[in-house]
Every structure is written in structure tokens, then in C-alpha cells.
Amino acid sequence: MDNVCHTLVGAACGAAGLNRRTRFGAATLMISANVPDLDVLVFVTNTPWIEFRRGWTHGILAQIVLPVVLTAAVSLFDRVRRARGADGDRPFHVGWTLLLAFVGLYSHVFLDYLNNYGVRLATPFSWRWSYGDAIFIVDPWMWMMMGVGIWLTGTRGTPRPARVALLVMSCYIAVMVASGWIARGIVSSSWKSAHGVEPRALMVGPLPLVPFSRQVIVDAGDHYEYGVFSWGQAAVSFVPEQIPKNDRAPQVAAARSDNNIRAFLVWSRFPFWTIESTPAGTRVKVSDMRFAGRNGFEASMILPAPY
């Protein structure tokens, strides 16, 4: 999920009463709800970001280490403030701070898992991507739920609205997960009935702003077919256009050695290639059907003659 959502979830957990357990409770929840995204620092390096993201700082080792590191940092901050004579409205408890750090961090990992972008939960012991395919990366409906709950808690002085908001969000997530599983079964059965075989790979994933419709991508071998599943009709409508993979072209074989393309393929789930001639040479580009047409979700290189 985006960092606005992560921050709001951390803030809502605090407003629901967890911020009362220890000094800096609200800050701990909001920071820990964002701390796995420390991997954005990869953007200031020469490392291909798309290969690195949602790996080291989201995997099982980081899930254990990062809350401990954050708790140590908050404890040090508290000591420095007390040494300077600052008082707080409640005492600082290491145990509660550590627990809140785990709550915030696992809320982040779980919400990231719900997307169709993917997250590598077992890093560094396994680099396999996992996908919830339930909720789009940016979901304003979740912003609204959390924002209203936090605002009402602040204006009314009671944690009840934040608790209700967290409950409503949990129900929303459960419905989105369940509806995704059911929709996937319907699409898979429909495809098998029409073609006689299971699709090689299938995604029935979320669309932005429209929780009752889903993006459908089917790997049909040498090409992809895509469409939209609508709960209004409980059926999928495929567009006539088929997207060829072009993955067996000799230009593609040559381009795979490029570092940026190799990194992109580590992340890609439904890759397809386009090849075009330019004055500088042959441009080979790889994109992913999940985010086709969106800037940043592609990699390319120029092959010199004779390609």
C-alpha cells in the first residue's frame, strides 16, 4: 500500500487506545507502519530499484530486527529527553513500545501483501514473490475509513470511532479477499470451459477506485488475454486484443543480459516485449501486463546493429 494508508492505519491503531500504553506510542505505531519502506533509499544508489524493493526490509529477518531497532531508537530518544528535563504525559515502557513496533510493522507487511505488486515475505531465506491480489496499491476508500475514524476520535475524545474504523476496514479487507478468491475461481472455470485447459497463469486483481470490478490477465501461452470481471454479471469480459509476449525473438535473448532488464524480470509476473527500430539501433522494451502503460514499470535497452 501507499505510505498515506500505512500512516493512517498506524495512527488509527494509536487513536483506538494503543497510544496510551507508553510514551511515544502513537509515533511508534506510525513510524513502524512505514519503516519497511526504508528500501526506498535504493533510489539514491545505482541498484535497480524494482529488483530490490519489498525484499530485504519486508522479509522475515527484517520483521524480527526492525521492531527491535526502532524500540532501541525510541528508548534512546526518551532518555535524551529526560536527561534534558523534559516530562511526558505517561511513562515510557520498553515492552509496550516493542509490541507496538511489531503491530505497526506487521500491519505494513500485511497490507503490502494484499496488493498485486507483490512482496517477498521470506527474504532472505526465499526470494519468492507473494500476491494477495485483493486491494489496489492506492485505495482511497481505506484512507476515508481511517481518516474519519481518527478525526472523530480527536473531536469526541473517545477511542470508539477509531476502533469502529479499524473494524470496518478489517471487514472491507475480508470481503475484498474473499471476493477475489471467488472471482478467480469463476474466471478459471470459465476459461477452462471455453479452451479445455487451465490457463498457464492467471491474475484476477484489483482495479483502482472500483472494488466491485477486477482486472483479469490470462497467460495463454504465446500471448496474454485481458479483460474485466464484474460482480454485476459475475462474469469476465475479455477485450478482443491479444498481447503477444514476443519472448522468443533473438533481440529479446540479447537484451536479457542487460542489468536493468534482468532486474525487471526478477519482479515481473506477466512480462511482454516490444521491439522497434530507432536511429540509434533496435530498442527492446519489457513491460508487465499488471501495470502496462504506467511510467516506471518497464525497462529497455538499445541493441546496436546488426539487430
Side-chain angles (χ1 to χ4, degrees):
M1 302 298 291
D2 66 284
N3 292 102
V4 172
C5 183
H6 289 309
T7 303
L8 287 172
V9 170
C13 289
L18 291 180
N19 60 347
R20 301 176 180 179
R21 300 297 181 177
T22 179
R23 187 181 302 173
F24 312 123
T28 299
L29 283 162
M30 287 187 286
I31 294 171
S32 60
N34 285 280
V35 75
D37 281 343
L38 281 170
D39 57 7
V40 297
L41 294 175
V42 71
F43 288 108
V44 301
T45 72
N46 293 323
T47 302
W49 68 271
I50 206 162
E51 175 188 30
F52 188 80
R53 290 277 281 134
R54 293 197 179 185
W56 278 102
T57 60
H58 288 66
I60 189 168
L61 188 61
Q63 293 166 22
I64 298 170
V65 172
L66 288 178
V68 175
V69 173
L70 177 59
T71 299
V74 177
S75 178
L76 178 61
F77 181 72
D78 177 66
R79 290 183 181 183
V80 171
R81 282 178 55 86
R82 285 191 287 110
R84 295 179 178 179
D87 292 325
D89 56 348
R90 57 182 59 89
F92 176 78
H93 293 287
V94 172
W96 271 110
T97 301
L98 180 62
L99 179 60
L100 297 187
F102 273 108
V103 168
L105 183 137
Y106 277 111
S107 75
H108 182 113
V109 173
F110 175 66
L111 290 173
D112 277 0
Y113 164 74
L114 294 173
N115 307 152
N116 61 343
Y117 183 99
V119 62
R120 290 171 283 187
L121 297 172
T123 305
F125 306 107
S126 171
W127 295 92
R128 180 180 178 182
W129 290 90
S130 299
Y131 312 93
D133 290 341
I135 297 176
F136 198 70
I137 296 174
V138 178
D139 191 318
W141 304 113
M142 293 179 67
W143 293 357
M144 189 181 304
M145 296 173 205
M146 296 299 98
V148 170
I150 294 166
W151 177 72
L152 288 176
T153 289
T155 56
R156 297 181 180 180
T158 172
R160 181 180 176 85
R163 294 172 182 175
V164 171
L166 288 169
L167 177 61
V168 171
M169 185 189 73
S170 298
C171 293
Y172 172 74
I173 290 173
V175 169
M176 293 295 286
V177 170
S179 64
W181 287 345
I182 296 170
R184 181 183 175 89
I186 294 172
V187 173
S188 180
S189 297
S190 175
W191 180 270
K192 186 175 181 179
S193 297
H195 298 84
V197 295
E198 298 279 355
R200 290 192 177 187
L202 170 67
M203 187 194 81
V204 182
L207 286 168
L209 298 174
V210 190
F212 300 109
S213 296
R214 290 188 168 269
Q215 176 191 30
V216 176
I217 301 172
V218 176
D219 184 343
D222 63 350
H223 68 277
Y224 298 112
E225 296 190 25
Y226 66 102
V228 174
F229 177 89
S230 172
W231 274 111
Q233 300 175 340
V236 59
S237 299
F238 287 100
V239 302
E241 181 186 9
Q242 298 179 351
I243 304 299
K245 293 182 180 179
N246 294 326
D247 55 343
R248 296 184 179 180
Q251 297 92 334
V252 169
R256 287 180 184 272
S257 61
D258 178 77
N259 191 43
N260 287 326
I261 287 181
R262 179 197 56 77
F264 185 90
L265 292 174
V266 168
W267 165 81
S268 185
R269 188 176 175 188
F270 298 98
F272 66 96
W273 304 78
T274 54
I275 303 167
E276 61 179 344
S277 297
T278 71
T282 301
R283 183 171 184 259
V284 182
K285 180 177 73 173
V286 60
S287 307
D288 191 287
M289 286 293 296
R290 292 171 295 169
F291 303 101
R294 291 188 173 94
N295 291 334
F297 293 100
E298 61 185 35
S300 65
M301 69 168 301
I302 301 292
L303 291 173
Y307 292 101

